[in-house]
């Protein structure tokens, strides 16, 4: 028993010594001549970091701005086909449709956004792109994803000039003649490069999906502009609950939870008269 007590005491002493060493290193760093000891220097350093963070926030907000020409408003996410199939005919049906769409987005696409955000490099994007391309058996949604992703890559490479990897990523794909950028993985890559954490990037993806489908509903005369704003606010807590259910999942767990929406969207190409691309 005494031997065991002695071992425990030795471990505790080593732990304290290690902690003390780290504390001492921190104390020494305060005496480092390279540190800005002048209050004005400290203030300039603080303002420089704040300015950098502020500039980054402007870029992050711009990614979610509806004025960014990524082609999102050209797609109804199957809503137009659902209206013509008499699945959606009023505000109540619209709310149900949007919630189901967010459930599909959370279960199928958030794993790709998450994986790309935590590892925003070209190799990861290509791998995720191939997996998602194989999983989207619905040709309409697959083409819509590629169209939006390609537009986002073109805009991102032009707008975010401070991130040269985006431009080099696009040029590398153009040089091979194979241009296929699915929207969800690329959105995650850009979020990661802009400094967004994985939870915020997934929440942002849910937000732009909800924003775009409600915008489509407004143009399809299902709801007015004010009603659309009220509806978006009402669905917000539901979207957050769906996010918490599906966030931070690996790509291997990606799945569709509302198959009917996928079937309806696949019928979009057969519509005799249509306003949207999907």
């Amino acid at each position: 028993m005494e031997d065991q007590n002695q071992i425990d005491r030795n471990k505790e002493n080593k732990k304290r010594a290690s902690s003390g060493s780290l504390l001492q290193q921190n104390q020494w760093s305060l005496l480092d001549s390279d540190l800005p000891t002048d209050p004005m220097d400290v203030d300039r350093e603080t303002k420089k970091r704040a300015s950098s963070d502020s500039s980054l926030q402007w870029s992050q907000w711009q990614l979610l701005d509806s004025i960014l020409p990524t082609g999102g408003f050209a797609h109804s996410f199957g809503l137009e086909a659902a209206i013509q199939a008499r699945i959606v005919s009023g505000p109540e049906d619209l709310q149900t449709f949007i919630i189901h769409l967010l459930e599909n987005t959370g279960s199928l696409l958030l794993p790709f956004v998450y994986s790309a955000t935590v590892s925003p490099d070209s190799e990861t994007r290509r791998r995720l792109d191939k997996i998602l391309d194989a999983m989207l058996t619905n040709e309409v949604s697959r083409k819509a994803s590629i169209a939006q992703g390609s537009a986002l890559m073109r805009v991102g490479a032009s707008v975010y000039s401070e991130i040269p990897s985006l431009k080099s990523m696009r040029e590398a794909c153009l040089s091979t003649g194979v241009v296929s950028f699915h929207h969800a993985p690329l959105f995650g890559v850009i979020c990661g490069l802009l400094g967004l954490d994985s939870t915020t990037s997934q929440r942002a993806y849910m937000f732009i999906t909800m924003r775009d489908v409600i915008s489509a509903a407004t143009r399809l005369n299902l709801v007015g502009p004010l009603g659309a704003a009220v509806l978006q606010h009402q669905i917000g807590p539901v979207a957050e609950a769906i996010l918490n259910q599906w966030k931070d999942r690996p790509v291997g767990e990606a799945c569709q939870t509302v198959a009917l929406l996928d079937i309806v969207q696949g019928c979009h190409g057969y519509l005799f008269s249509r306003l949207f691309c999907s």
Side-chain angles (χ1 to χ4, degrees):
M1 180 63 70
E2 288 186 9
D3 291 341
Q4 183 61 41
N5 291 336
Q6 183 63 38
I7 292 173
D8 292 340
R9 281 195 296 270
N10 290 339
K11 286 182 179 179
E12 189 64 29
N13 289 335
K14 288 180 180 179
K15 185 177 180 181
R16 282 198 297 268
S18 175
S19 176
S21 299
L22 291 174
L23 186 61
Q24 194 174 53
Q25 290 176 29
N26 291 333
Q27 292 167 345
W28 287 341
S29 69
L30 291 175
L31 304 178
D32 194 333
S33 60
D34 290 336
L35 285 177
T37 54
D38 186 352
M40 293 186 66
D41 290 338
V42 173
D43 186 57
R44 279 195 292 268
E45 286 296 317
T46 303
K47 287 182 178 179
K48 184 178 179 181
R49 285 195 298 271
S51 176
S52 176
D53 292 341
S54 300
S55 299
L56 197 59
Q57 280 193 350
W58 284 101
S59 298
Q60 292 168 351
W61 292 339
Q62 187 178 17
L63 182 62
L64 307 182
D65 196 337
S66 59
I67 202 174
L68 201 68
T70 58
F73 291 145
H75 304 273
S76 72
F77 302 88
L79 177 60
E80 188 172 19
I83 292 173
Q84 294 201 29
R86 303 292 190 271
I87 295 175
V88 176
S89 57
E92 296 80 10
D93 297 333
L94 173 62
Q95 183 169 355
T96 302
F97 179 91
I98 295 171
I99 292 173
H100 286 167
L101 173 65
L102 292 174
E103 288 174 349
N104 260 359
T105 301
S107 62
L108 179 63
L109 299 178
L110 285 192
F112 290 89
V113 176
Y114 167 70
S115 298
T117 302
V118 297
S119 182
D121 57 82
S122 184
E123 184 59 36
T124 300
R125 187 206 62 79
R126 280 195 297 266
R127 179 178 61 84
L128 295 175
D129 214 62
K130 290 178 181 179
I131 296 173
L132 184 56
D133 195 69
M135 292 188 69
L136 292 175
T137 55
N138 175 355
E139 186 67 12
V140 173
S141 62
R142 191 184 71 83
K143 287 182 176 179
S145 176
I146 293 175
Q148 288 181 266
S150 299
L152 179 60
M153 171 54 85
R154 186 189 71 251
V155 172
S158 301
V159 173
Y160 302 119
S161 56
E162 70 274 17
I163 307 176
S165 57
L166 281 177
K167 188 174 182 179
S168 60
M169 195 184 299
R170 181 169 185 263
E171 289 176 347
C173 288
L174 289 175
S175 63
T176 61
V178 181
V179 183
S180 175
F181 300 104
H182 278 287
H183 189 250
L186 183 61
F187 184 87
V189 167
I190 295 178
C191 284
L193 293 174
L194 288 176
L196 287 168
D197 61 80
S198 59
T199 300
T200 304
S201 65
Q202 291 171 93
R203 182 177 290 112
Y205 196 78
M206 295 287 282
F207 171 79
I208 63 172
T209 301
M210 178 171 61
R211 177 201 68 190
D212 290 353
V213 71
I214 290 178
S215 173
T218 303
R219 284 173 285 163
L220 289 167
N221 292 322
L222 272 176
V223 64
L226 181 58
V230 172
L231 180 62
Q232 182 172 340
H233 182 71
Q234 291 173 342
I235 297 178
V238 181
E240 182 67 18
I242 295 172
L243 168 70
N244 291 328
Q245 179 183 358
W246 294 104
K247 69 177 182 178
D248 298 348
R249 294 188 181 231
V251 172
E253 296 185 18
C255 62
Q256 293 234 40
T257 54
V258 188
L260 178 61
L261 263 63
D262 190 53
I263 296 170
V264 170
Q265 188 176 17
C267 298
H268 186 89
Y270 298 103
L271 300 181
F272 178 76
S273 174
R274 55 182 181 268
L275 178 64
F276 295 90
C277 297
S278 70

